[in-house]
Amino acid sequence: MNTMLRRTLQIVVPAAALLMTACSGVTTIKSDLVLDSQGQARIELHQKTEAIELRNDGVTSVRVQVLGKKDRVVSNILLNGHDQVRLDILTARAVQFENNNDDRAFVRWTLINDDRIGYTMAMGE
């Protein structure tokens, strides 16, 4: 009986670990954003999303606002040149970027979630 139990555990434990690893995938969407002088962009989130990672690859500062219901500002940061940040956006409905400078801004962003990610992006001035 002891040998049978040990063999069963040798098979079941690795199989369970493999199954849990395969089912716990993380979805990421990566993109680059180029904002012209006085430009804006907005990411509308169609479902709950856990986090967004931002990296400013330029020297121009970019205003980033995380917006909740009815466009209420949840977070408002100034991302200076070569800064990077990870923001929790679980309660967010949108993320808005503003370049209020005379030079172009270059921002790399990554949406991260344990489930699917649904979003749309709009550019404006």
Side-chain angles (χ1 to χ4, degrees):
M1 192 76 140
N2 225 356
T3 306
M4 180 82 125
L5 179 62
R6 188 176 5 187
R7 284 188 183 166
T8 303
L9 288 175
Q10 286 175 345
I11 294 170
V12 171
V13 171
L18 180 64
L19 180 62
M20 287 174 41
T21 302
C23 293
S24 66
V26 173
T27 303
T28 58
I29 297 176
K30 298 179 181 185
S31 186
D32 295 336
L33 174 63
V34 178
L35 288 173
D36 287 330
S37 171
Q38 305 302 317
Q40 296 180 356
R42 182 178 172 114
I43 299 173
E44 293 284 341
L45 301 168
H46 299 290
Q47 59 201 45
K48 288 188 177 188
T49 304
E50 291 176 15
I52 187 169
E53 291 180 353
L54 304 168
R55 188 174 83 210
N56 188 343
D57 282 345
V59 294
T60 303
S61 299
V62 176
R63 170 81 46 204
V64 179
Q65 292 182 328
V66 177
L67 305 172
K69 291 181 182 177
K70 299 181 183 178
D71 280 352
R72 183 180 55 86
V73 176
V74 175
S75 181
N76 183 7
I77 65 165
L78 186 63
L79 195 62
N80 291 317
H82 304 291
D83 281 353
Q84 59 185 22
V85 67
R86 179 183 171 120
L87 301 172
D88 293 330
I89 57 171
L90 202 52
T91 61
R93 299 287 174 99
V95 179
Q96 189 164 295
F97 303 88
E98 294 179 8
N99 177 11
N100 295 322
N101 299 293
D102 294 331
D103 298 321
R104 278 188 170 172
F106 303 95
V107 178
R108 291 183 187 269
W109 57 267
T110 304
L111 289 173
I112 303 165
N113 202 19
D114 281 338
D115 199 1
R116 297 175 299 165
I117 297 174
Y119 77 97
T120 54
M121 182 170 217
M123 304 286 289
E125 284 191 36

